[in-house]
Amino acid sequence: MNDALRVALSETGHTTESLAERVGVDPKTVGRWLSEGRILHPRHRVSAAEVLGRDVGDIWPDTSRRREPVWFRPWQEIEREAVSLRSYQSVVLPGLLQTEAYARAVLTGAGMLPRADIDRHITARLARQGILRREDPPQLTAVIDEGVLRRPVGGPETMREQLHALVAACAEPHVRIHVVPSSVGAYAGLNGPFVVAACPDHRLAGYLDNQLQGQVVSDVDEIAAIMAAWENVRGEALSHWQSVDLITEVAETWS
């Protein structure tokens, strides 16, 4: 019995029927979430939690355990409070823009997680994307290498869905995507991915990723170096709408 879900429904005035309609499932499915305490699909967990105005972990606490590594939590807090995010990725798409199928393929292919933990991490990743759907979302500017669009992560169907989702995201006023075309030779992005967050108090924080764990940096000199790299990768990239055209074109090749 999922009492937390039952209470959330009561407090928000939702019924199994109205929640089912908002999430896109059959009312009987929501009934099973309630009566059998089932752990549902990551996408449905996130959607249901958003509809009910709750954190995923409040309704399905077992799924919140070990959702993200301890070392990632400081950055997650910074990301949640940021007013703007500048993200560069050379190998995969930013987590904030990944579809569920793409995220699953990335996490499965990396081979770093036990299979039992993959759903938890996907739930956490999808939940993080909620910052882009807030009333006051951060401005996200993402620069990606063209190779990311052409790498068959999860196969053609997953890539086509993912690139269509990118194009849809580009229609939002707070999301800008720029692609560094494959015709560009050596540039600063080849040294690795990074993210820079602007905090409400105007401080900047950076995040560097590697094979073992990420690193949050705030040292003035380190931030200056990351910002110099950002100016380089941004300068090599296509404009936002040129990038949208390229993403749309590449999406049609995944058939």
Side-chain angles (χ1 to χ4, degrees):
M1 181 77 68
N2 190 328
D3 290 330
L5 178 56
R6 189 177 301 279
V7 169
L9 284 168
S10 175
E11 291 181 347
T12 58
H14 274 288
T15 63
T16 55
E17 289 77 12
S18 64
L19 180 60
E21 182 179 0
R22 293 286 298 278
V23 177
V25 298
D26 189 274
K28 292 181 180 179
T29 299
V30 177
R32 286 192 289 270
W33 299 346
L34 283 165
S35 61
E36 300 174 19
R38 288 193 177 185
I39 301 301
L40 53 157
H41 204 278
R43 178 178 67 253
H44 293 154
R45 286 179 222 156
V46 174
S47 296
E50 287 185 351
V51 170
L52 298 171
R54 301 290 195 275
D55 288 332
V56 172
D58 291 340
I59 305 176
W60 294 280
D62 288 343
T63 67
S64 66
R65 296 174 187 167
R66 298 171 58 197
R67 288 185 302 171
E68 293 290 359
V70 172
W71 51 260
F72 187 76
R73 292 172 189 168
W75 176 254
Q76 196 169 15
E77 292 300 317
I78 292 170
E79 183 181 73
R80 193 175 291 136
E81 298 298 323
V83 296
S84 72
L85 294 161
R86 301 178 181 95
S87 173
Y88 169 72
Q89 289 289 341
S90 57
V91 180
V92 296
L93 291 167
L96 290 176
L97 296 171
Q98 291 179 7
T99 63
E100 181 181 343
Y102 185 93
R104 185 176 297 279
V106 169
L107 291 170
T108 302
M112 301 288 285
L113 292 172
R115 188 170 295 274
D117 286 345
I118 289 177
D119 271 358
R120 295 191 182 100
H121 284 261
I122 291 173
T123 296
R125 187 163 299 184
L126 296 179
R128 283 172 51 212
Q129 297 175 1
I131 66 171
L132 297 179
R133 296 187 289 273
R134 296 186 321 214
E135 291 185 2
D136 59 339
Q139 179 70 40
L140 172 63
T141 304
V143 176
I144 58 176
D145 193 276
E146 182 178 347
V148 175
L149 306 178
R150 301 187 184 278
R151 180 168 290 105
V153 175
E157 183 176 350
T158 293
M159 288 302 300
R160 184 169 59 253
E161 176 195 38
Q162 175 64 80
L163 297 193
H164 286 160
L166 277 187
V167 172
C170 287
E172 298 292 338
H174 57 283
V175 176
R176 287 292 177 267
I177 298 176
H178 303 271
V179 179
V180 178
S182 55
S183 58
V184 172
Y187 69 108
L190 299 182
N191 292 323
F194 58 87
V195 186
V196 178
C199 304
D201 60 3
H202 307 297
R203 290 182 301 110
L204 297 180
Y207 178 78
L208 307 174
D209 211 349
N210 60 47
Q211 285 285 341
L212 297 179
Q213 64 179 38
Q215 177 187 5
V216 177
V217 298
S218 57
D219 177 80
V220 173
D221 292 336
E222 291 176 326
I223 291 296
I226 296 174
M227 289 304 298
W230 171 260
E231 292 300 324
N232 180 282
V233 299
R234 178 65 187 85
E236 297 289 358
L238 301 172
S239 73
H240 173 66
W241 292 114
Q242 286 175 322
S243 299
V244 171
D245 288 343
L246 178 58
I247 295 169
T248 303
E249 177 185 322
V250 176
E252 296 310 309
T253 69
W254 291 111
S255 58

